[in-house]
Amino acid sequence: MNEKDFENKMHNMRKPDVEASASYMHLKLALMNTKRSSVWGTGFLIIPVLFLCCVSITYLFHWKLNFNNEFIEFFARLDKNSYTAWLTPLLFVLLPAVGAIFNLLSIMHFAYDKAGKELLVSIKLKWWNICLAVISLGIISIILLYAITENAGEAAIQKYLH
């Protein structure tokens, strides 16, 4: 085989197809970095955690502390006033929900593989952010369970009294 034949053979050879499976189109949905979202999440949880602690100390342990009673009564007054009734759902449901979403989105990253039509979800193990998200969801669950049982109890009382 001479040099000319070798060059012709090389030019006519089929080139290999490259499958770029390792290069995914990344869509990062980290609204904030993990430090900033943990600070916001902690700030959003201060009032609900303090309220649940005051309620627990007052009604479970039967300790009569002035701060606990005043704190609980303050939110009861806010809830009874029609102008500030929107504030308690905001403080006890919406802000913990936003904190949970911020913390979850700061540790979750999404990648989409067009060729395989796959959505890949990866989670960074930032334990403080995970704990804040779980605590936020727990507080929301406790508050919503309380609201449901309170309304069901009121409905049952009204049904049997009339």
Side-chain angles (χ1 to χ4, degrees):
M1 183 180 283
N2 64 16
E3 189 176 328
K4 196 89 157 152
D5 290 335
F6 180 72
E7 281 184 26
N8 284 336
K9 195 172 198 178
M10 290 302 282
H11 284 297
N12 293 332
M13 189 180 280
R14 193 176 136 252
K15 295 177 180 112
D17 292 331
V18 176
E19 194 173 316
S21 62
S23 62
Y24 296 117
M25 182 182 82
H26 287 282
L27 172 66
K28 279 192 159 185
L29 287 180
L31 291 178
M32 301 179 164
N33 64 14
T34 54
K35 280 186 180 180
R36 192 175 290 166
S37 64
S38 66
V39 169
W40 279 100
T42 305
F44 290 160
L45 288 178
I46 289 173
I47 291 176
V49 167
L50 188 60
F51 180 77
L52 288 176
C53 288
C54 288
V55 168
S56 299
I57 288 171
T58 302
Y59 293 109
L60 290 178
F61 300 122
H62 302 291
W63 294 348
K64 303 292 183 190
L65 302 175
N66 286 337
F67 175 75
N68 291 351
N69 294 335
E70 289 297 320
F71 198 71
I72 293 169
E73 287 301 317
F74 172 73
F75 282 106
R77 284 191 304 270
L78 279 180
D79 207 26
K80 288 179 184 175
N81 190 348
S82 61
Y83 296 111
T84 58
W86 60 270
L87 198 57
T88 53
L90 176 86
L91 288 173
F92 294 114
V93 177
L94 188 63
L95 288 183
V98 169
I101 290 170
F102 279 176
N103 281 298
L104 288 175
L105 286 179
S106 71
I107 60 173
M108 294 177 72
H109 297 281
F110 302 93
Y112 180 69
D113 178 20
K114 280 186 178 180
K117 293 186 179 179
E118 295 175 336
L119 180 66
L120 304 171
V121 179
S122 62
I123 298 174
K124 283 185 180 180
L125 291 179
K126 298 285 187 172
W127 292 109
W128 184 245
N129 292 88
I130 293 171
C131 287
L132 284 175
V134 168
I135 291 169
S136 297
L137 294 174
I139 286 175
I140 293 168
S141 301
I142 290 169
I143 297 295
L144 291 179
L145 183 65
Y146 171 75
I148 290 169
T149 55
E150 183 73 21
N151 289 334
E154 281 294 320
I157 289 171
Q158 293 301 321
K159 181 180 177 182
Y160 290 115
L161 287 180
H162 294 10

